[in-house]
Amino acid sequence: MRLRRAARRFMTVLSLSWSLPGTAGAQGGTIDQRIDDLLSRMTLDEKVGQLVQYSGFTEDRAAAIREGRIGSLLNVVGAEHANRVQRIAVEESRLGIPLLFGLDVIHGYRTIFPIPLATASSWDPALVTSIEAIAAREARASGVHWTFAPMIDVARDPRWGRITEGAGEDPYLGAAMAAARVRGFQGDNVAAPDRILACLKHYVAYGAAVAGRDYNSVDLSERALREIYLPPYKAGVDAGAATLMSAFNLLNGVPATANTFTINRILRGEWGFDGFIVSDWNSIGELISHGYAADAREAARLAMEATIDMDMMGDVYAGQLADLVRANVVPEAAVDSSVRRVLRAKFSLGLFDNPYADPSTETAVILRDDHVAAARDAARKSMVLLKNEGGLLPLSRAVRSIALIGPLANDRDDLLGSWHAMGRAEDVVTVLAGVRGRAGGTTTVTHAPGATVTEMEREGFAQAVAIARNADVAIVVVGEREFETGEAASRASLDLPGVQQQLIEAVHATGTPVVAVLMSGRPFAIPWLAEHVPAILQAWHPGSQGGNAVADVLWGDFNPSGKLAVSFPRSVGQVPIYYNRDVTGRPPTAEKFTSKYLDLPNTPLFPFGHGLSYTTFEYGDLVLSGDTIAADGTISVSATVTNTGDVAGAEVVQLYIRDLVASVVRPVKELKGFTRVSLEPGERQTVQFTLGPRELGLYNQGMEWAVEPGVFRVWVGWSSEEGLEGSFIVRGP
Ligand code: BGC
């Protein structure tokens, strides 16, 4: 069998040297010429094969790869394993077209960084680019060519488990993070041995799932779609993202995976995106479950109409597409276009010339020292100091004994967060290890879990209370398990799970000052903690270096600078809650007939953009470059920020606007700029922002982008609720 294949290959070499398996398309000429050449030699079944993706490698799949019936596999990792599988495609298939290996590299490959919601809280696009570059380096060395990331779905609902994977509630911050992540994964040249293709997902509006229930439907105005949910995608496309994934959800009655309005018209038409689109896992098949397609044949046709180029784990294209072409239902030209897009991605990666990963590079780069150091740095830059009464943090030198309590204090797995690729618990530095390491010989650290994350058992309380009583400070690490976040992990309650709050109450009752460290993939509603616990650090799921990063912040070796990328509600009943809400005709007042709750204020517990530091910053000198501008003009807004405290620190300065009167009612505030400044004690810096048509416009009733005349208010501040305020006028024509 082997021999026969070898002989056949030899004959091919004699007759058509350029089609030698393993060197398919590897001749000179432009990529387009090479693609044309390949396409001209592909059978219809081989073309369809390029559009088919399965998860994992099995012997059955080996036969399909050999026959050119698979174009991509996900979840095939490890240089040697990936090479073994690749060899089948390159050396044993008729045309030798390499496979594309994809994986969910969401926040690191083996070195695990904080969850994306956390790194978005750094408000530091350069940091985010640098960690995605590390993720790309490790992944590519392990044979991965393509990540299903970044997930850039705007999410205003912390019940939705996948809020952990995105950049939170704001389109402007979300757009900055989307572009930063794409740049990090892809760099300038994805053919480089340390880069991978990015995939913007899940197109589109998946984050608006009704009631925060995963896979649920979405009903949105076109304006909300364009103003809130699309900007991160536009930014990702503009940053050069090679691919995009269609979502599971319905959007206004039409499944996202067959949505010709959002895909053909907006993405391909208005934005000119010509990368390839992969479905989400069986989302083409789910057109049938949705009641949008009668059967697989119709599902395939509808998905092809929406230019979904690759079928992830659906078996729909594999089973239907060739027949549909033969029956003249789907034009072969449409299949050719999809194949072209997939082949272009493979060419851009250099796979036709270098299809294999290098195992020695893999060994050299996985968990490289600088990667691990970057994970620690990213984790501490992602943490948000929510509250710090009486300057309890950083821990004072007088602290001689620490009671480290809580179910996540000595945990490894959960610090990794959801979708942690090849991250391993054994690589994780626990909070206990980080705190013990930092405490050194002079401060004693005792530990008791007190409870588990989810169970109602209070047996461990007594021990936790006992160690708290004998300590100068109690640090309580609580939150949620990693698998309670991410896909299929929606919650109806945002209270701390299990008896964790009761555990904190019991520890608090000892009178020992309490620091709460929250590890979660979403905001929890923690009004009791906010009222009673003096210091609260939102540490998210911080990744492999989480414990060291927590210690860095607790002792003030690192001064926290994170700011919330998502509002923290007082109660699940306020959800969805977000700062850029529309104005109502009856804003809340003491009057009965106004827009409010009977039992809670409308305001969040901690607003978007909030985050404390160990130093203080004073804002002053708000200066606008003019009082009025033309509709197509620009205005600059500047302010000074001074570090008025005793330690160096970084501040994220935020710029918000509001268009007071417009043909379409505008949100109460919209983020339109941000910048980080690092200041020594006493140091002052002037920050400057420019506002122009891109920032000041709106989608008018005709759905056109327009800057409308009138008064604009502008704030430069330290959260979405506080800042210096000014105003200017946009002149009419
Ligand atoms: C998720 C995607 C993911 C895919 C492959 C799906 O269930 O929705 O985000 O990329 O699985 O793992």
Side-chain angles (χ1 to χ4, degrees):
M1 178 72 182
R2 262 229 179 109
L3 259 181
R4 223 178 313 139
R5 201 176 305 118
R8 208 170 45 221
R9 200 183 305 156
F10 183 57
M11 284 171 58
T12 319
V13 173
L14 287 180
S15 55
L16 283 172
S17 65
W18 39 265
S19 67
L20 170 70
T23 57
Q27 295 302 300
T30 65
I31 285 183
D32 280 326
Q33 285 164 343
R34 294 169 76 179
I35 292 172
D36 286 341
D37 164 55
L38 264 179
L39 260 177
S40 72
R41 290 186 284 131
M42 291 170 86
T43 65
L44 178 58
D45 288 327
E46 284 167 338
K47 290 178 184 175
V48 170
Q50 287 304 305
L51 312 184
V52 170
Q53 184 191 53
Y54 294 113
S55 172
F57 175 73
T58 58
E59 279 314 311
D60 290 357
R61 301 236 157 97
I65 294 168
R66 234 168 250 131
E67 289 159 20
R69 288 191 285 114
I70 296 181
S72 172
L73 289 172
L74 65 151
N75 301 328
V76 169
V77 296
E80 276 171 5
H81 178 56
N83 287 347
R84 247 191 323 271
V85 180
Q86 187 69 296
R87 225 163 263 131
I88 302 172
V90 172
E91 297 179 13
E92 300 177 28
S93 75
R94 191 177 76 89
L95 294 171
I97 300 175
L99 291 163
L100 185 62
F101 294 127
L103 185 76
D104 292 278
V105 182
I106 306 296
H107 50 110
Y109 176 77
R110 174 75 186 270
T111 304
I112 300 301
F113 298 99
I115 53 164
L117 182 59
T119 47
S121 311
S122 72
W123 296 55
D124 189 344
L127 171 85
V128 163
T129 297
S130 69
I131 63 175
E132 301 304 22
I134 291 172
R137 181 180 303 134
E138 292 191 355
R140 185 76 187 254
S142 257
V144 175
H145 309 129
W146 177 30
T147 175
F148 306 118
M151 192 214 83
I152 55 174
D153 295 318
V154 169
R156 295 167 152 186
D157 192 333
R159 293 173 298 182
W160 189 53
R162 304 200 78 168
I163 195 170
T164 185
E165 289 175 61
E169 72 187 41
D170 184 68
Y172 186 91
L173 179 62
M177 289 297 155
R181 292 190 199 277
V182 168
R183 283 196 293 270
F185 288 128
Q186 296 190 167
D188 296 330
N189 172 18
V190 285
D194 55 357
R195 298 295 183 175
I196 54 179
L197 302 175
C199 179
L200 308 173
K201 74 183 189 186
H202 309 80
Y203 194 75
V204 58
Y206 186 32
V210 169
R213 220 155 48 236
D214 211 357
Y215 317 115
N216 207 6
S217 56
V218 173
D219 210 83
L220 273 186
S221 71
E222 186 179 338
R223 179 164 302 99
L225 182 70
R226 287 186 183 272
E227 291 187 357
I228 306 294
Y229 294 89
L230 285 175
Y233 284 92
K234 178 68 165 63
V237 166
D238 289 347
T243 76
L244 195 135
M245 184 186 293
S246 69
F248 287 127
N249 54 282
L250 284 186
L251 176 60
N252 302 333
V254 179
T257 292
N259 203 305
T260 53
F261 175 67
T262 53
I263 299 174
N264 305 45
R265 174 147 154 211
I266 296 179
L267 176 68
R268 299 257 194 229
E270 294 176 21
W271 301 351
F273 176 72
D274 66 354
F276 86 81
I277 304 177
V278 62
S279 76
D280 202 344
W281 187 287
N282 191 34
S283 68
I284 300 178
E286 287 179 17
L287 297 177
I288 307 167
S289 337
H290 276 301
Y292 191 71
D295 51 25
R297 188 178 158 86
E298 194 176 9
R301 177 178 65 76
L302 291 165
M304 277 304 288
E305 244 166 58
T307 72
I308 305 295
D309 301 303
M310 187 179 280
D311 179 4
M312 179 192 283
M313 272 310 277
D315 243 350
V316 177
Y317 281 0
Q320 307 298 326
L321 209 47
D323 284 349
L324 284 168
V325 171
R326 285 184 203 108
N328 286 325
V329 176
V330 169
E332 184 156 0
V335 172
D336 286 355
S337 298
S338 289
V339 173
R340 216 173 261 286
R341 288 191 279 259
V342 171
L343 291 178
R344 191 170 295 126
K346 293 183 177 183
F347 273 107
S348 74
L349 284 158
L351 294 186
F352 286 86
D353 307 312
N354 290 307
Y356 302 115
D358 174 4
S360 65
T361 307
E362 179 182 40
T363 313
V365 305
I366 294 287
L367 291 176
R368 216 166 73 179
D369 288 351
D370 57 324
H371 296 184
V372 173
R376 179 173 183 163
D377 192 45
R380 55 201 202 170
K381 285 182 172 153
S382 300
M383 291 180 188
V384 183
L385 184 62
L386 294 175
K387 181 181 174 190
N388 191 20
E389 206 171 74
L392 178 57
L393 291 178
L395 295 173
S396 101
R397 289 220 181 98
V399 169
R400 286 281 164 258
S401 56
I402 293 172
L404 185 61
I405 295 166
L408 294 174
N410 194 23
D411 175 274
R412 291 177 190 278
D413 304 76
D414 298 310
L415 270 59
L416 292 170
S418 98
W419 289 118
H420 50 256
M422 305 313 286
R424 293 191 195 164
E426 72 207 46
D427 304 333
V428 171
V429 178
T430 65
V431 176
L432 182 59
V435 164
R436 282 228 164 106
R438 179 58 177 79
T442 50
T443 304
T444 59
V445 179
T446 48
H447 165 63
T452 68
V453 172
T454 50
E455 289 159 332
M456 302 310 286
E457 192 50 65
R458 296 172 189 229
E459 228 167 58
F461 278 27
Q463 197 198 355
V465 165
I467 66 167
R469 228 177 239 130
N470 291 318
D472 295 333
V473 63
I475 298 168
V476 191
V477 190
V478 295
E480 63 186 331
R481 311 287 313 270
E482 57 92 11
F483 57 80
E484 295 173 313
T485 72
E487 187 175 353
S490 296
R491 286 184 182 280
S493 166
L494 293 177
D495 297 341
L496 281 177
V499 290
Q500 295 182 98
Q501 180 176 318
Q502 289 86 332
L503 173 65
I504 300 174
E505 288 175 19
V507 172
H508 172 73
T510 62
T512 301
V514 175
V515 177
V517 177
L518 301 180
M519 294 196 161
S520 65
R522 54 158 68 79
F524 276 109
I526 47 163
W528 188 90
L529 268 71
E531 191 179 338
H532 299 280
V533 172
I536 307 174
L537 179 67
Q538 177 67 39
W540 311 106
H541 284 147
S544 12
Q545 282 290 306
N548 281 334
V550 166
D552 288 342
V553 172
L554 292 178
W555 268 273
D557 301 335
F558 180 82
N559 186 354
S561 58
K563 300 271 188 178
L564 294 179
V566 63
S567 306
F568 271 47
R570 296 169 192 275
S571 149
V572 71
Q574 292 181 310
V575 168
I577 183 167
Y578 43 91
Y579 82 93
N580 49 356
R581 61 193 184 277
D582 290 332
V583 187
T584 120
R586 296 190 183 188
T589 66
E591 291 294 315
K592 177 171 172 65
F593 295 99
T594 57
S595 176
K596 64 186 180 196
Y597 300 104
L598 289 174
D599 47 357
L600 273 185
N602 289 3
T603 52
L605 190 61
F606 298 108
F608 175 83
H610 167 76
L612 304 174
S613 164
Y614 294 150
T615 188
T616 45
F617 297 102
E618 200 177 284
Y619 283 60
D621 312 319
L622 180 71
V623 177
L624 279 63
S625 59
D627 302 329
T628 68
I629 58 165
D632 58 357
T634 59
I635 185 165
S636 77
V637 180
S638 65
T640 57
V641 184
T642 310
N643 180 345
T644 50
D646 299 328
V647 290
E651 170 73 334
V652 177
V653 185
Q654 303 158 43
L655 175 83
Y656 296 88
I657 64 157
R658 173 167 168 190
D659 180 351
L660 291 191
V661 180
S663 66
V664 173
V665 173
R666 303 311 298 155
V668 293
K669 269 184 189 171
E670 295 175 86
L671 181 73
K672 292 295 177 182
F674 63 88
T675 185
R676 288 171 64 84
V677 290
S678 295
L679 298 171
E680 294 298 319
E683 194 184 344
R684 162 189 313 225
Q685 199 175 310
T686 301
V687 296
Q688 186 169 319
F689 302 97
T690 302
L691 293 169
R694 227 164 51 138
E695 291 78 24
L696 300 175
L698 51 76
Y699 280 99
N700 64 21
Q701 294 193 22
M703 229 26 95
E704 288 149 354
W705 190 251
V707 180
E708 296 188 348
V711 180
F712 281 72
R713 202 148 280 164
V714 56
W715 294 264
V716 174
W718 47 100
S719 86
S720 59
E721 285 188 355
E722 293 169 295
L724 307 175
E725 183 180 331
S727 62
F728 61 92
I729 293 171
V730 172
R731 286 189 303 270

